[in-house]
Every structure is written in structure tokens, then in C-alpha cells.
């Protein structure tokens, strides 16, 4: 097999917040991949607002650097398992991976997920122990834990013989020996050239290019992105699109773009081994092969793990509908979801039996929450339901998804964590004490139990618990869980504007979600009741004027700060009879049935 020596294609994989995007910044800056990089700030590749706000990578992105005459194509992959659809596709472009591991934390749950995908594809890894400049760093322990992880994932002998580079991404330094501090990233670049294999190519065969990502250009239209496996592609060439179902559609290449630094540059042609964007094929889709028009041969399609949770997206039917957003109809919501399906291969959208709602399935709560957040920023209004687990049937047996849940918590809260996870059918796998004296707990838990766990533990541990969860397997369905997420809600029973006087009385019934001056409508949830029952309250009542004076009546009202219900917390909080109303300006929780009398009738039925 022929190899193209002037190119290396690498993917950078890591757990969330282990410094992956920061390291890419340093690599780009030290190779002068583009002008004015210093003016671009930090986390250059985090181009989405949501990525910069949350500090996570959501969409895989491409860039390139040149070192000693060799072009290194870099794919920055998401670190969270909920965006596994991105990981599975983009790893197919790479010939090797850089696995980043935090020198203090060692491999984490999401590290296991992305590494497993890389090893299954037969890719070799360079292990990069990052953040070695931290005072509490323990690089040797991180290396040992990483080796154990490789062994646990059944890595081959060749994959187990991984090179190790120690880095400080923020300082932009790398070294092969922690006793000798690094000056720049030169040691890392050298290891990449030595250890990452040059791409295998079939230069003389007919064209084959598997489309693994899509991009939209205002002038060029839809563009298919992938690595050329065989042959050569040229501008103006007639090619065949081999669809996933085997159909062949002819088309003409109008533009070819390659990555140079952070930007794409137009070229007349590109050969096997290169990662390119191809324009001129308006119906191109992920998983299809761009092949020679005369001898079209398809490449194996991308296999993506199936969704594990689903929820309904529907038209906003609250009394405040249409006041804050401009895209409110079922047709507009449907078109947006269909557009998302083009690039988000782990997402499924089905009709729900109601013209105004759609059943949307994804890899996890975060996967769906990010989509909802993107839609609200695009001026959509919609209402969404409680996430539900997707069950499978195999050999007449009902199966449900299980996840590995890891929790780091101070020792004094260990008991309440074990109790809460036990109520959710969680089985304790391991319990260790970290170097910082915290308890590290691992549970095997049904996904049903994971939903709502974070908000419950945040309350019980006073916000000190650090929780990660990762899909593990499908197992036989257990008995119904005790309703660990059961709660009662405080419900507004009339329209109006909340007052401090009314909220002062209401806060004695539970925790509030709103502050004075908030507009409410009947059936809107304004707080969580301290008991597991719904209570209707008047939050609009004003204090009556009186000619009687007393010291007690004139005391200032002191309200506890309302609980800030973000989108993720709202999705975890709601029960089966509640919905989250999402608009560009507001996140509200409401009852499915707004009318109190109708709710009582439905509960009796």
C-alpha cells in the first residue's frame, strides 16, 4: 500500500475541559498558521457562541499546520459523549489521534468513550499529559491510569506501546521528560511526524471520497467534507454520488477547498490522503461516497450509535405565545429540525401523531438541550416535554440503556449520594479517595435514573458534587423506579404580574423560580413545593392599604433569591404532566393542562 509522506491527518480527543482546544491554539500560533492569531483571543476553534460560553466543543472542526514541510491536518473533536455522532464521523478522517489527559484528574469517563471509538477504528494514539504546570499535577499517576484504560479497552500490543508527551497548553510548551521543562511544542510536532502514520492512498485507482461532514457556503452552496481515499478529484470533473441506499446520482464539481491554517483555500485539484471540501453537489449527504463517474465504488457507510432519549418539540401554546419569538409555526419548527438532520447524524425526528408536535431522539439530555438552545437563539418559540428513555426489544425481552455515572464529592456528602443513587437503581462499582481527599464514586445506573439526578444531588450536596455520565450498554428492563424525581409544584392560578408581598407568602410553601415583576399566567409553574404535591397560589396579590400602623406590618419584605432555572435544570425538573416553554428571552415551566379544573378532571380519570 502506497503512503503519502507529505501529510498527516490527526484527531485530537479528550474529556471535556482537559485543554484540547487550548492546545490547538498553541499549535496554530507556533506554526504561524494564520496572521493576527494573537488578536483572535483564546479557544480560536470554538467558533459557536455556545461553545465559548460553556467551554466545550460541540461541532467537530478542521484546521491545518505545516511543520518541516509536512502538512498536518487537525480535527478538533467534541469531548462529550452526547455529541458522539460528531466523534464517530470525524475519526474516520484521521490516521492517528492525540489523546489529551489532565495531569491531575487522569482519564475521565468521556476519555473512555472517545478512546474506545478510536481504538475500534484501529488508530494508534499519542498520549499527551496536559496541565503539568499545575501545583497538584501528578503526571506519573495519569500515565499509569491511561495505560490501565488502554488495557481495559482491549487495545492491541501496538496500540499499548503509545508515546507520551507532557505539555502545558496554556504556556505552549511540551517535553518528553518532566525533569526537563519544555520551551515550545517542537517535541510534540516531532512525535506526530514520527508516530502518526502517513495516510494510505491508492493514487492510481478511481476516485473515492467518503463524505463525513457538511458545510454551507453563501456562494458555493452545500459542501461535502471528507478525506480522499483513492484517486484524484479536479474542479469541473463529473463525479457520481453513491447514495446510502445504492442509488447513483451524477454531478459536477464546481469548487474544491483544502484547509490551510484556520481558513479554506480553493485549489484546482487534490489527491488521495488530503481532507477536502467539495462543492457542486446540492443533494450530497453524510455517509455518501463521491466516486468516479465511470466506475463508481462506494466506501463503507458510517455507523453511528443509536439515540437513547427522546422528547417532543411542539408549537408554543401558552398565553404568552408569539410575544418574544418570530419563528413559531409547526412548519418553521419542522423545517429547522429537518435541516439539523443533514449534519446531526445522531439525531432522529419522527411525527408524533399530532401535527403541531414532533418526536425528537438524541444521544442524551445535553445533545437535545444544545439543539433547543440553538433554536431559541435563532428566534424560535417552542415547548418541549420531559426526556424519556428509548427502550429496545430483543428476543422478546425489553431492554433499557444503562450508563456509568461517576461522582466526585466531599466525604461528608458520601452518604446522601449513595442513598440517592440507590433509589435510582444505581449499583456502586468502585469507591476511591482522591488525592484531594474527595470521594470518587462510580455507579452502573439505568438512564431513567440518571434523568434528574444532577439537580437532586446539587441540592443535597450544596452544589459540591461533580457528575459525569456515559452510555454503557443495554440491559434487561428493571422494575419501575421509585419516583426519585417526584416533586410538587407551586402553580400560579391567575394572570398578572408577581408582587413582593405575594411572593413573601409563597416562599413559605417552597423554593421560588420567579422574582417580583414577573408576568405569569394560569397554569405556569412559579416554584417547587416543599411537599410532593401541587399547590395553586396567588403570586399577584398586592398589600391592602390600611390606616392601621404597626411595627410588624411595616417591616421590609425579605425574599430569598429565586432558583435560576436554566434550560438543562428545567428539563431535569419537569414531570410527565409539565412542559418547558422556550422563547428567545425566557425559560418557563408550565403544566400541560393550564386550566385548574381540567387538570383535576384529568387526574381523576
Amino acid at each position: 500500500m502506497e503512503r503519502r509522506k507529505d501529510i498527516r491527518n490527526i484527531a485530537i480527543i479528550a474529556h471535556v475541559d482537559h485543554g484540547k482546544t487550548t492546545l490547538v491554539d498553541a499549535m496554530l500560533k507556533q506554526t504561524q498558521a494564520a496572521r493576527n492569531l494573537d488578536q483572535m483571543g483564546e479557544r480560536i476553534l470554538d467558533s459557536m457562541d455556545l461553545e465559548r460560553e460553556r467551554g466545550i466543543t460541540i461541532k467537530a472542526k478542521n484546521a491545518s499546520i505545516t511543520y518541516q514541510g509536512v502538512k498536518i491536518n487537525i480535527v478538533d473533536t467534541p469531548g462529550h459523549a452526547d455529541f458522539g455522532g460528531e466523534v464517530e464521523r470525524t475519526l474516520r478522517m484521521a490516521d492517528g489521534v492525540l489523546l489529551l489527559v489532565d495531569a491531575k484528574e487522569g482519564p475521565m469517563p468521556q476519555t473512555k468513550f472517545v478512546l474506545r471509538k478510536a481504538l475500534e477504528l484501529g488508530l494508534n494514539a499519542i498520549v499527551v499529559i496536559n496541565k503539568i504546570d499545575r501545583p497538584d499535577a501528578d503526571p506519573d499517576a495519569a500515565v499509569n491510569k491511561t495505560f490501565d484504560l488502554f488495557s481495559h479497552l482491549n487495545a492491541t500490543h501496538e496500540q499499548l506501546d503509545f508515546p507520551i508527551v507532557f505539555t502545558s497548553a496554556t504556556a505552549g510548551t511540551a517535553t518528553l521528560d518532566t525533569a526537563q521543562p519544555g520551551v515550545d511544542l517542537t517535541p510534540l510536532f516531532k512525535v506526530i511526524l514520527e508516530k502518526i502514520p502517513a495516510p494510505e492512498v491508492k493514487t492510481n485507482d478511481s476516485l473515492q471520497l467518503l463524505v463525513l461532514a457538511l458545510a454551507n457556503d453563501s456562494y458555493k452552496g452545500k459542501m461535502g467534507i471528507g478525506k480522499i481515499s483513492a484517486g484524484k478529484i479536479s474542479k469541473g470533473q463529473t463525479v457520481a454520488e453513491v447514495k446510502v441506499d445504492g442509488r447513483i446520482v451524477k454531478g459536477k464539481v464546481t469548487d474544491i477547498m483544502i484547509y490551510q491554517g484556520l481558513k479554506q483555500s480553493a485549489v484546482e485539484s487534490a489527491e488521495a490522503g488530503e481532507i477536502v471540501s467539495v462543492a457542486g453537489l446540492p443533494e450530497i449527504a453524510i455517509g455518501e461516497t463521491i466516486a468516479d463517474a465511470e466506475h463508481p465504488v462506494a466506501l463503507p457507510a458510517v455507523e453511528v450509535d443509536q439515540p437513547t432519549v427522546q422528547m417532543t418539540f411542539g408549537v408554543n401554546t401558552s398565553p404568552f405565545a408569539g410575544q418574544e419569538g418570530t419563528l413559531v409555526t409547526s412548519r418553521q419548527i419542522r423545517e429547522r429540525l429537518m435541516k439539523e438532520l443533514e449534519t446531526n447524524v445522531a439525531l432522529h425526528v419522527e411525527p408524533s401523531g399530532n401535527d403541531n408536535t414532533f418526536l425528537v431522539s438524541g444521544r442524551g439530555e445535553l445533545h437535545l438541550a444544545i439543539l433547543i438552545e440553538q433554536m431559541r437563539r435563532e428566534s424560535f418559540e417552542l415547548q418541549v416535554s420531559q426526556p424519556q428513555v428509548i427502550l429496545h426489544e430483543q428476543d422478546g425481552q425489553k431492554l433499557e440503556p444503562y450508563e456509568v455515572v461517576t461522582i466526585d464529592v466531599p466525604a461528608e456528602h458520601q452518604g446522601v449520594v449513595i442513598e440517592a443513587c440507590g433509589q435510582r437503581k444505581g449499583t456502586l462499582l468502585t469507591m476511591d479517595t482522591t488525592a484531594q481527599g474527595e470521594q470518587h464514586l462510580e455507579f452502573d445506573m439505568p438512564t431513567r435514573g440518571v434523568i434528574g439526578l444532577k439537580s437532586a444531588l446539587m441540592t443535597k450536596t450544596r452544589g459540591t458534587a461533580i457528575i459525569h455520565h456515559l452510555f454503557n450498554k443495554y440491559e434487561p428492563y428493571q422494575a419501575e423506579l421509585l419516583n426519585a424525581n417526584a416533586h410538587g409544584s407551586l402553580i400560579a392560578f391567575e394572570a398578572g404580574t408577581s408582587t413582593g408581598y405575594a411572593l413573601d407568602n409563597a416562599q413559605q410553601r417552597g423554593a421560588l423560580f420567579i422574582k417580583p415583576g414577573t408576568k405569569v399566567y394560569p397554569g405556569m409553574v412559579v416554584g417547587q413545593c416543599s411537599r410532593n404535591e401541587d399547590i395553586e397560589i396567588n403570586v399577584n396579590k398586592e398589600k391592602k392599604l390600611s390606616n392601621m400602623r404597626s411595627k410588624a406590618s411595616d417591616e421590609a419584605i425579605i425574599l430569598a433569591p429565586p432558583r435560576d432555572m436554566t434550560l438543562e435544570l428545567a428539563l431535569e425538573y419537569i414531570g410527565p404532566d409539565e412542559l418547558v416553554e422556550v422563547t428567545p428571552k425566557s425559560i418557563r415551566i408550565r403544566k400541560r393542562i393550564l386550566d385548574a379544573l381540567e387538570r383535576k378532571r384529568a387526574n381523576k380519570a
Side-chain angles (χ1 to χ4, degrees):
M1 180 69 72
E2 185 183 349
R3 291 188 180 273
R4 186 169 173 184
K5 301 287 189 181
D6 61 336
I7 285 183
R8 299 291 188 276
N9 296 314
I10 61 168
I12 299 191
I13 60 177
H15 180 81
V16 178
D17 198 35
H18 275 200
K20 175 168 46 66
T21 307
T22 306
L23 181 66
V24 175
D25 282 4
M27 294 171 74
L28 289 165
K29 288 175 180 176
Q30 291 191 22
T31 55
Q32 297 297 310
R35 294 180 181 178
N36 304 320
L37 274 173
D38 289 326
Q39 280 75 48
M40 293 183 185
E42 296 180 348
R43 293 183 286 122
I44 301 165
L45 282 186
D46 282 352
S47 53
M48 296 167 58
D49 290 341
L50 271 174
E51 291 179 319
R52 287 186 173 274
E53 289 169 18
R54 293 168 182 257
I56 61 173
T57 301
I58 296 170
K59 294 284 188 185
K61 299 171 199 71
N62 297 67
S64 78
I65 60 176
T66 301
Y67 180 75
Q68 292 185 350
V70 177
K71 181 180 182 182
I72 302 173
N73 284 313
I74 301 171
V75 184
D76 185 17
T77 61
H80 202 289
D82 278 23
F83 310 110
E86 294 281 316
V87 174
E88 288 153 1
R89 287 189 288 112
T90 51
L91 284 177
R92 293 282 291 271
M93 295 188 207
D95 300 297
V97 296
L98 294 187
L99 174 66
L100 246 76
V101 177
D102 188 298
K104 172 198 170 188
E105 297 179 347
M108 297 289 282
Q110 313 295 348
T111 316
K112 180 179 178 180
F113 168 77
V114 289
L115 179 60
R116 183 175 66 214
K117 294 296 179 187
L119 296 178
E120 286 173 356
L121 289 171
L123 301 177
N124 290 340
I126 296 172
V127 172
V128 179
I129 306 298
N130 191 31
K131 303 186 183 181
I132 59 169
D133 52 338
R134 290 176 58 159
D136 52 357
D138 190 348
D140 293 336
V143 170
N144 292 334
K145 290 178 182 177
T146 304
F147 186 84
D148 292 341
L149 177 60
F150 273 73
S151 301
H152 177 70
L153 295 175
N154 298 318
T156 65
H157 290 296
E158 187 181 0
Q159 289 171 331
L160 281 169
D161 188 23
F162 51 79
I164 303 166
V165 182
F166 302 94
T167 64
S168 168
T170 51
T173 60
T175 179
L176 302 181
D177 183 356
T178 51
Q180 298 178 347
V183 178
D184 55 22
L185 292 178
T186 299
L188 176 61
F189 295 138
K190 288 182 176 178
V191 172
I192 291 174
L193 296 192
E194 291 171 8
K195 299 298 183 180
I196 299 295
E200 293 182 349
V201 295
K202 302 173 186 174
T203 310
N204 299 321
D205 288 13
S206 55
L207 172 65
Q208 283 182 307
L209 189 161
L210 181 64
V211 176
L212 296 166
L214 295 176
N216 283 295
D217 187 278
S218 305
Y219 301 102
K220 299 179 177 66
K222 188 188 288 187
M223 303 183 75
I225 302 171
K227 183 176 73 173
I228 305 172
S229 299
K232 178 181 178 180
I233 190 167
S234 304
K235 188 174 178 180
Q237 179 181 347
T238 300
V239 295
E241 290 176 53
V242 185
K243 301 288 185 182
V244 177
D245 59 8
R247 291 183 299 114
I248 295 176
V249 179
K250 296 288 179 72
K252 187 176 183 179
V253 176
T254 56
D255 268 293
I256 301 169
M257 311 285 282
I258 63 171
Y259 291 91
Q260 291 187 335
L262 291 166
K263 296 182 178 179
Q264 289 185 306
S265 302
V267 293
E268 290 298 313
S269 64
E271 296 182 352
E274 182 65 272
I275 295 175
V276 297
S277 299
V278 178
L281 309 172
E283 300 303 319
I284 195 69
I286 288 170
E288 297 177 355
T289 303
I290 299 175
D292 182 74
E294 302 300 323
H295 307 285
V297 179
L299 288 165
V302 185
E303 291 186 12
V304 176
D305 289 346
Q306 294 302 302
T308 57
V309 298
Q310 61 186 16
M311 56 202 297
T312 60
F313 286 37
V315 173
N316 186 11
T317 58
S318 88
F320 293 167
Q323 294 183 10
E324 297 177 355
T326 56
L327 303 171
V328 298
T329 67
S330 60
R331 178 184 59 82
Q332 290 167 327
I333 293 172
R334 182 184 181 281
E335 287 177 355
R336 176 64 179 83
L337 291 174
M338 292 301 115
K339 182 181 177 185
E340 185 70 20
L341 284 178
E342 293 180 2
T343 55
N344 199 337
V345 293
L347 194 76
H348 289 187
V349 179
E350 308 165 49
S352 66
N354 182 333
D355 291 341
N356 289 329
T357 60
F358 306 92
L359 193 61
V360 183
S361 308
R363 290 285 284 273
E365 282 181 88
L366 182 62
H367 185 202
L368 296 175
I370 290 293
L371 172 59
I372 297 167
E373 183 65 34
Q374 287 173 327
M375 291 178 69
R376 75 183 284 239
R377 294 183 183 212
E378 295 165 13
S379 200
F380 278 89
E381 276 194 19
L382 64 157
Q383 60 190 30
V384 297
S385 71
Q386 179 188 40
Q388 297 289 333
V389 169
I390 300 173
L391 304 177
H392 286 191
E393 187 120 353
Q394 184 177 328
D395 300 328
Q397 189 176 32
K398 190 192 291 185
L399 303 177
E400 66 173 325
Y402 270 67
E403 305 197 19
V404 174
V405 181
T406 61
I407 302 170
D408 290 305
V409 68
E412 64 263 27
H413 300 303
Q414 170 188 321
V416 295
V417 169
I418 293 175
E419 181 186 5
C421 293
Q423 289 175 348
R424 296 165 181 266
K425 302 289 184 186
T427 303
L428 183 62
L429 300 176
T430 61
M431 181 168 64
D432 299 310
T433 303
T434 67
Q436 291 71 42
E438 293 192 336
Q439 293 298 309
H440 176 81
L441 309 168
E442 280 194 20
F443 295 88
D444 186 34
M445 189 182 299
T447 301
R448 285 180 298 146
V450 176
I451 294 173
L453 176 66
K454 184 176 181 180
S455 57
L457 289 187
M458 283 298 153
T459 303
K460 293 180 178 180
T461 65
R462 300 179 184 176
T464 57
I466 300 173
I467 305 163
H468 297 289
H469 54 95
L470 174 68
F471 170 75
N472 186 28
K473 58 190 173 182
Y474 271 88
E475 287 283 304
Y477 185 83
Q478 289 206 36
E480 290 297 328
L481 301 180
L482 292 173
N483 198 353
N485 204 28
H487 63 265
S489 293
L490 302 177
I491 309 164
F493 71 72
E494 68 178 20
T497 303
S498 62
T499 65
Y501 175 71
L503 292 180
D504 186 36
N505 293 324
Q507 72 179 355
Q508 299 171 33
R509 303 288 188 93
L512 297 175
F513 300 160
I514 63 171
K515 58 186 178 181
T518 303
K519 291 184 177 181
V520 300
Y521 54 79
M524 177 173 159
V525 174
V526 296
Q528 180 175 354
C529 186
S530 55
R531 295 183 290 178
N532 286 349
E533 59 178 312
D534 290 343
I535 299 178
E536 293 178 36
I537 58 174
N538 184 352
V539 294
N540 310 324
K541 185 167 60 176
E542 295 184 359
K543 183 179 179 182
K544 294 286 188 281
L545 295 174
S546 170
N547 61 355
M548 297 293 291
R549 286 183 175 273
S550 72
K551 183 179 179 183
S553 65
D554 288 341
E555 282 179 355
I557 292 170
I558 300 175
L559 294 175
R563 189 185 300 174
D564 183 19
M565 295 303 282
T566 61
L567 178 59
E568 283 90 346
L569 285 177
L571 290 176
E572 286 204 340
Y573 172 83
I574 59 173
D577 64 336
E578 294 169 332
L579 298 168
V580 179
E581 177 189 355
V582 182
T583 75
K585 297 180 181 177
S586 308
I587 302 289
R588 303 185 187 96
I589 299 172
R590 51 161 285 186
K591 289 293 181 180
R592 281 183 184 270
I593 303 172
L594 295 178
D595 183 78
L597 192 57
E598 291 293 326
R599 273 202 308 277
K600 287 177 183 175
R601 286 176 183 160
N603 288 336
K604 286 179 181 178

